[in-house]
Amino acid sequence: MLSFSECKDKIESEICKIPFQSFKPDELYQPVAYILSLGGKRIRPVLTLMACELFSGKTEVALNPALAVEIFHNFTLLHDDIMDKAPMRRNHPTVHHKWNENIAILSGDAMNIIAYQYLCRTKTDLIPELIDVFSKVALEICEGQQFDMNYESQPEVSLPQYLKMIELKTAVLLAASLRIGAICGHAPEAEKQNIAAFGLNLGMAFQIQDDILDAFGNEKEFGKSIGGDILAGKKTFLYLKALEMAKDHQKQELSRIYNDKALLPETKIVKVLGIFQELNIQSMAEGVVTQYTEMAMKSLQAVNTDKSKGELEKLAYKIMNRKA
Ligand code: IPE
Ligand code: IPE
Ligand code: MG
Ligand code: MG
Ligand code: MG
């Protein structure tokens, strides 16, 4: 089975070949070239290639659909960064900061369409199912993103509501990345289901780890501004768990600071992180990441194939321990 870096190299060299630099108008396509050139882990398209190989021994059929998944993911980042008022991504200015919001909206729209074009550049008989899966997940991501936005100003958000929100905004895309690979590898229906279940659990671990890194990560490694979720008033796993664990006075203090619009950004971040630390929230969150990773491993064990699953296992542990 191809390793993570071999799969990533395949994706990277295909992305490099697309001449977005020379497409016109520049204002529409330069941001596309820019965001796709900034690196990124390429986890989703790698999952697509690995799933295809797991069932067919080859990756070729899944190559364009894998590019579709990565281009679509990057489109969601352009719009997400506007919504989250994020200044930095992959250690560079976000598209709406480097250009402006209108540019980020329209370049994102173009990437969404280009993603569909790549999805359909594969075996004709696979296209209806691929479009079906892709469209379903695209809509679920919109639903998750809307819940994420709603929760910023909704005072009472439960942990189950949070878990559903991250399933929609993040986990379903990892699940679909694998399912798309499995479709391209002509996997039986039951195995498509099993590999998607692996992706869903992996995706839950992935987003909770993202919440942890947003608060406790290293800015250079993570590539995004630390404390962004706190400043945006996001109902993250850390915040909701802290509210659950806090005693009455601390609970009031936390929600007062979180909702205080007048506090200096730096002060707000320091105070919230202080409360998270007092309550030992980081290690609780890490425990939940481990639980979802273990559930992912169980789902992977259920996948019936004669090929090795070792690289997917390695990738799951890599996600669990990631710092970027
Ligand atoms: C960022 O995804 C969006 C989330 C779902 C947290 P990644 O962490 O995979 O971003 P890149 O593509 O590697 O930059
Ligand atoms: C990511 O959630 C969800 C999507 C991009 C669809 P975040 O808002 O936490 O992602 P980052 O942290 O900005 O990458
Ligand atoms: Mg964001
Ligand atoms: Mg967001
Ligand atoms: Mg985040």
Side-chain angles (χ1 to χ4, degrees), residues 6-20:
E6 285 166 331
C7 289
K8 190 176 177 213
D9 288 350
K10 274 181 186 275
I11 297 297
E12 224 55 76
S13 75
E14 289 303 313
I15 287 179
C16 285
K17 280 188 214 156
I18 314 175
F20 288 119

Side-chain angles (χ1 to χ4, degrees), residues 229-257:
D229 286 342
I230 294 171
L231 296 181
K234 294 290 182 192
K235 300 301 191 302
T236 62
F237 184 87
L238 306 174
Y239 177 71
L240 297 173
K241 197 71 196 166
L243 279 186
E244 187 187 300
M245 301 310 293
K247 301 265 186 308
D248 274 349
H249 71 280
Q250 212 172 15
K251 203 178 285 188
Q252 280 161 18
E253 167 86 345
L254 177 58
S255 84
R256 189 187 56 74
I257 297 167

